[in-house]
Amino acid sequence: MDKEQKAIARLQEAAFYSESLYNGAPLIVTTSGGKDSDVCLALAQRAGIRFEVMHNHTTADAPETVYHIRDTFRRLEQQGIKCTINKPVYKNKPVSMWTLIPQKLMPPTRIMRYCCAVLKEKGGAGRMITTGVRWAESTKRRKNRAALETFSAKKENRILLNDNEDRRLFETCALKAKRICNPIIDWEDSDIWDYIESEHITTNPLYQCGFRRVGCIGCPMAGRKKILKDFARYPTYQRAYIRASDRMLEERRRRGKIDGSWKSGTTGIDVFHWWMEDGVIVGQMSFDDGGGP
């Protein structure tokens, strides 16, 4: 069985579980606006299954990504496919990247990736969903992700199953758990691009501008070189991070959390240089209290 047929079989299995375990609810195909999501959408249509589409609006995506999502949803809705955009909420109130930073008392970092949990990973609770996660993306994903999964905040409670493994535990786990299918888990980058070319799939225009991956502007996981490239292309996002850092410092002062590391004269620009690790700030600066609530 080739990779396309294997992915289609996984989607058909996931659609069966969705409708049988969730009172007839169709499978949800999630999309971030990236190439992997576009391939998953094309495969879901090829699979001949019932499905809905869901996107989590991060508020920090590139404009091209937002427009690509809109165009994709317009096309799918014309075909009668339900599409949903989830707006981020924190503590029961609407939030954005720029209002979340002051609440968390620190900008997101590689270690403190609170932004993902709030802005990217909501939605789909109590449903069967798919993602475009692939093992080729990182060693961590190769070790910790599978073709079928149950989601749990505690790693030891997650169920990970690949092809031909016993499904009974997956089928009988608590119904409140979010079940996940990763149909292209074993695809390489070359497989993705070959499929996009062969099936004439429309992708995010950023790929034609030289981007290898698309995601949040300023994502700390992207690396400093990529972040600098993003901010050179989208300077308004850099200014937004600096203004958010100014408001963060104001909130820290209000809570009495300004200490020796962040002196009273510190500005949002100082925080931005610290965040970028560009050597402009002399000495080591840190958030000793580990951030906000």
Side-chain angles (χ1 to χ4, degrees), residues 86-118:
N86 297 323
K87 301 293 181 65
V89 174
Y90 182 61
K91 294 185 176 180
N92 298 317
K93 293 183 179 180
V95 72
S96 70
M97 175 68 84
W98 328 119
T99 59
L100 186 61
I101 289 172
Q103 293 186 63
K104 290 292 188 176
L105 300 182
M106 64 181 297
T109 67
R110 288 186 294 271
I111 297 174
M112 299 292 292
R113 295 172 57 194
Y114 60 78
C115 47
C116 291
V118 177

Side-chain angles (χ1 to χ4, degrees), residues 30 36-37 40 130-134 137 141 181-185:
T30 63
D36 298 336
S37 297
C40 286
T130 75
T131 80
V133 163
R134 294 185 294 117
E137 293 177 303
R141 288 189 172 183
C181 171
N182 300 311
I184 56 173
I185 190 75

Side-chain angles (χ1 to χ4, degrees), residues 243-261:
R243 288 194 297 269
S245 296
D246 276 323
R247 292 193 295 271
M248 177 205 76
L249 290 168
E250 291 174 5
E251 183 63 18
R252 291 181 73 90
R253 293 186 187 103
R254 189 185 71 81
R255 299 191 195 183
K257 292 182 178 288
I258 292 292
D259 54 25
S261 297

Side-chain angles (χ1 to χ4, degrees), residues 63-286:
E64 292 90 342
T65 301
V66 175
Y67 299 146
H68 179 60
I69 289 292
R70 290 177 183 173
D71 290 343
T72 300
F73 277 24
R74 188 179 300 112
R75 171 175 54 81
L76 292 172
E77 287 172 339
Q78 288 174 349
Q79 300 173 39
I81 298 171
K82 180 181 177 181
C83 299
T84 302
I85 295 179
N86 297 323
K87 301 293 181 65
V89 174
Y90 182 61
K91 294 185 176 180
N92 298 317
K93 293 183 179 180
V95 72
S96 70
M97 175 68 84
W98 328 119
T99 59
L100 186 61
I101 289 172
Q103 293 186 63
K104 290 292 188 176
L105 300 182
M106 64 181 297
T109 67
R110 288 186 294 271
I111 297 174
M112 299 292 292
R113 295 172 57 194
Y114 60 78
C115 47
C116 291
V118 177
L119 304 177
K120 292 182 64 175
E121 297 170 0
K122 299 293 184 181
R127 293 287 296 275
M128 181 89 198
I129 72 168
T130 75
T131 80
V133 163
R134 294 185 294 117
W135 287 326
E137 293 177 303
S138 71
T139 301
K140 183 177 180 180
R141 288 189 172 183
R142 185 173 292 276
K143 292 180 178 178
N144 300 311
R145 305 304 298 266
L148 286 176
E149 310 171 348
T150 59
F151 177 80
S152 173
K154 295 182 178 180
K155 184 177 178 181
E156 61 270 20
N157 292 338
R158 296 183 67 188
I159 299 171
L160 304 177
L161 295 173
N162 286 307
D163 303 317
N164 303 317
E165 292 186 301
D166 192 338
R167 299 297 200 250
R168 284 176 294 181
L169 187 59
F170 182 83
E171 294 169 359
T172 58
C173 70
L175 282 179
K176 290 184 178 180
K178 182 194 297 185
R179 291 175 172 85
I180 303 170
C181 171
N182 300 311
I184 56 173
I185 190 75
D186 52 350
W187 287 39
E188 301 292 334
D189 285 359
S190 58
D191 297 321
I192 294 293
W193 287 116
D194 287 347
Y195 196 72
I196 287 170
E197 183 176 358
S198 67
E199 300 302 314
H200 308 289
I201 297 171
T202 300
T203 59
N204 192 315
L206 287 175
Y207 293 116
Q208 284 72 58
C209 297
F211 283 64
R212 294 181 60 189
R213 299 183 68 177
V214 299
C216 294
I217 302 301
C219 174
M221 299 303 293
R224 184 170 177 271
K225 185 176 180 180
K226 173 64 165 58
I227 295 174
L228 287 173
K229 180 180 178 181
D230 285 349
F231 286 149
R233 184 181 177 94
Y234 308 105
T236 55
Y237 283 71
Q238 177 175 325
R239 292 194 290 270
Y241 276 108
I242 291 172
R243 288 194 297 269
S245 296
D246 276 323
R247 292 193 295 271
M248 177 205 76
L249 290 168
E250 291 174 5
E251 183 63 18
R252 291 181 73 90
R253 293 186 187 103
R254 189 185 71 81
R255 299 191 195 183
K257 292 182 178 288
I258 292 292
D259 54 25
S261 297
W262 294 97
K263 299 178 182 179
S264 58
T266 302
T267 68
I269 293 177
D270 295 327
V271 174
F272 181 79
H273 286 308
W274 168 85
W275 187 54
M276 291 298 299
E277 300 177 343
D278 58 14
V280 172
I281 300 299
V282 178
Q284 179 64 41
M285 304 174 79
S286 64

